[in-house]
Amino acid sequence: MKEIVPKVDEKKTKAALEKTLYKYRDYLLTLPSDLMPTITPAYSLVCPSNTNSFSSKTENLAIERVQYEEARTAYMNKIHSAVATLKPVERQIIIQRFLAEDPYYDVDIFIDLGLSKNTYYKKKWQAMLRLAFALKIEVYQRNAVVK
C-alpha cells in the first residue's frame, strides 16, 4: 500500500509567514486615520428614512474602532501565543527580525546571539517553520510524495 506524505512548500510557507508577521507589525505601528472621527461638520438636506433610530458618524466610527481594536488584539494574541511555543533562541530571532518596532538586520542578530551565519540561518528557518505550523499557515506542495 502506498502512503501519501504531503511536503511543505518552503517558499510559499515563508511568504505566508512573512505576510502574517508584517501584518502584526502593521497592527503594532498603525491605527487607520479613517477610524478617527472628523472634526469638520457635514450637512445634508436629505431626511433620514427611519426617524425612530439615531445614528451619527461619530457613533459609527466609535463602533468600527472598537471592532478594529478587538480584531487587532485577537490577532496579536494569536501571534504572541505562537511565538511563545518557540525555543528561546528561535523566539529571540523571530522577535528581533520580524516583531520589533524597529526590526534588526540578520547580520546584527547573529552577531548579537554569537552564532555563525550558517547556524543563524538554519535556526531562523527552523523558527519560521515551527511558527508557521503553530499558526496553521503552512503551505503544502500540490504533488504529494508517495512512499
Side-chain angles (χ1 to χ4, degrees), residues 65-115:
R65 171 93 186 251
V66 168
Q67 291 171 341
Y68 172 81
E69 287 297 325
E70 287 173 350
R72 177 180 180 244
T73 300
Y75 189 86
M76 293 179 85
N77 287 339
K78 177 181 165 184
I79 300 294
H80 292 164
S81 296
V83 170
T85 66
L86 299 175
K87 294 176 182 178
V89 171
E90 294 173 345
R91 189 177 317 125
Q92 191 170 0
I93 290 170
I94 294 297
I95 290 171
Q96 288 183 340
R97 182 65 182 96
F98 297 104
L99 304 181
E101 194 171 320
D102 294 322
Y104 291 69
Y105 293 105
D106 287 321
V107 66
D108 295 329
I109 299 169
F110 72 72
I111 288 172
D112 187 40
L113 295 175
L115 300 173

Side-chain angles (χ1 to χ4, degrees), residues 7-65:
K7 186 173 180 187
V8 174
D9 186 325
E10 293 181 1
K11 286 184 180 182
K12 290 181 181 177
T13 297
K14 181 181 178 194
L17 180 62
E18 286 178 345
K19 182 179 177 183
T20 301
L21 296 176
Y22 290 137
K23 181 178 178 182
Y24 171 91
R25 191 179 308 144
D26 289 344
Y27 269 147
L28 187 64
L29 298 176
T30 62
L31 179 65
S33 60
D34 61 337
L35 294 182
M36 302 299 288
T38 58
I39 56 173
T40 56
Y43 301 103
S44 174
L45 298 175
V46 179
C47 294
S49 60
N50 185 355
T51 57
N52 292 336
S53 67
F54 175 77
S55 178
S56 72
K57 186 173 182 181
T58 302
E59 184 179 74
N60 291 338
L61 288 172
I63 291 169
E64 284 182 35
R65 171 93 186 251

